[in-house]
Amino acid sequence: MSRTRGVWNTRGTWIAAVALAAIAILTGYALLSGGDSDAGAPAAKGGATAPNTAGSASPGPTYAPPADWTEPQRWAALPRGTRTDSHGSTVSFPHSAEGAVAMLAAANTVGVEADRSTVDEQLRIYSSYIGRGDQKDDAAEQIELSAQAADKSLAQEMGVRPGQPLPAGAYQRSHVVGYKIIKQSGDEVSAWLLTRVVQKAGETAPEKGSYSRTLAGAQWQDGDWKITADATRRAQQDLQGQAEPAMAAPGDEAFNSAGWTAIREAS
C-alpha cells in the first residue's frame, strides 16, 4: 500500500475515521462510536473490571456462568468467511444481513502481541475491510500515524521502550460478543457492535477487561461486504435522536433490554 505524504482532504479524513472506528478499542479513537469505549463499561459476569486504557477481547469465556446469569434472549451463530486474503484476514462472507455482521465482527477482532503491532493490525483491517472507493493514501497515512501513537502509548504502559516487543505474555485483544442491526437491505447493513476487550501486561499479570460499542455500516461490493463511509454516515443519520444501546455483558439482564443479539461460536 502506498503511504504518500500529503495534506489530508475531507474525504480521506472521514475514511480514516471509519477504519479507526473498526478498531477504536485498541487506539482509543472511538470516532464513530460516541467516544465512550471505556467510560461506564461494565465488568464481565465473573470477570475483571474495566482497565484504564482500551484493551481487547479473548476468544470466549473461560469461566462457568455465575448464579445470577440471565440467558440472552437472542442468539446467532454468524457465518464464516470462506477464504483468507493476502493480509491474513478472513473474507468472502455470505450475501446476507448476518454475513454483513460477520464481516463487521471480523474487522473488530484484533490482536496486538509481541510480534504484531497496532500498526500491523490497523493497516490489515484497512486493506481487507474498507470499501474500494474509500481506499485513499491520506486515510491510510492518518491510520498509520494514529496507530504508531497507540503503539508508543502501549509500550510505555507495558514498561518497555517504544519500538521494543511487548513483554512475554502481554497482549491487547478484541472480540465481538453481540450486535444490534440498525437497518438492512439487500446490499447495505448497519449495526451496533458490542465488543469485549481485554488487556494483559505480562505472563503473571492479571487480565483486565471491559466492553465497547461501535457503529458501522457495510455495503456489498465485488462479491463481499465492506465497511464504507457512505453506509456508516447513513447509519448515523438513521440514529439521530435515538439513544445508544447500553453496554452490558452477556448474562446481564441489561444486555437483553438493550436489544443485543449474543454471538454463539460457529462450529
Side-chain angles (χ1 to χ4, degrees), residues 76-98:
L78 296 178
R80 298 181 185 273
T82 59
R83 67 181 180 89
T84 300
D85 69 7
S86 60
H87 306 286
S89 302
T90 302
V91 295
S92 295
F93 293 92
H95 191 184
S96 64
E98 286 195 342

Side-chain angles (χ1 to χ4, degrees), residues 45 68-71 73-74 248-259:
K45 285 265 187 173
D68 59 347
W69 172 270
T70 300
E71 182 70 14
Q73 295 172 350
R74 292 163 290 271
D252 287 335
E253 176 56 39
F255 181 91
N256 291 331
S257 60

Side-chain angles (χ1 to χ4, degrees), residues 223-237:
D224 204 359
W225 291 103
K226 300 291 182 181
I227 301 170
T228 71
D230 288 341
T232 304
R233 185 187 296 113
R234 282 189 284 271
Q236 289 180 318
Q237 294 169 348

Side-chain angles (χ1 to χ4, degrees), residues 22-115:
I23 41 178
I25 297 147
L26 297 186
T27 65
Y29 288 87
L31 300 183
L32 295 179
S33 62
D36 53 15
S37 60
D38 276 326
K45 285 265 187 173
T49 56
N52 292 328
T53 59
S56 280
S58 44
T62 57
Y63 52 85
D68 59 347
W69 172 270
T70 300
E71 182 70 14
Q73 295 172 350
R74 292 163 290 271
W75 284 97
L78 296 178
R80 298 181 185 273
T82 59
R83 67 181 180 89
T84 300
D85 69 7
S86 60
H87 306 286
S89 302
T90 302
V91 295
S92 295
F93 293 92
H95 191 184
S96 64
E98 286 195 342
V101 174
M103 180 280 293
L104 294 173
N108 281 267
T109 300
V110 182
V112 173
E113 303 184 36
D115 60 349

Side-chain angles (χ1 to χ4, degrees), residues 160-261:
V160 297
R161 292 193 302 273
Q164 286 186 319
L166 297 182
Y171 55 75
Q172 286 186 323
R173 297 174 187 158
S174 71
H175 182 74
V176 176
V177 298
Y179 68 92
K180 184 176 183 178
I181 290 179
I182 299 163
K183 195 172 183 179
Q184 65 183 71
S185 65
D187 291 333
E188 184 167 321
V189 175
S190 56
W192 284 106
L193 304 175
L194 178 66
T195 304
R196 171 71 175 156
V197 299
V198 295
Q199 177 174 306
K200 187 174 172 66
E203 291 179 342
T204 61
E207 183 182 84
K208 299 179 180 180
S210 65
Y211 287 82
S212 176
R213 64 179 163 230
T214 303
L215 170 65
Q219 288 181 293
W220 185 256
Q221 294 183 349
D222 299 329
D224 204 359
W225 291 103
K226 300 291 182 181
I227 301 170
T228 71
D230 288 341
T232 304
R233 185 187 296 113
R234 282 189 284 271
Q236 289 180 318
Q237 294 169 348
D238 291 337
L239 288 170
Q240 285 185 356
Q242 298 183 31
E244 298 173 340
M247 290 186 289
D252 287 335
E253 176 56 39
F255 181 91
N256 291 331
S257 60
W260 294 109
T261 295

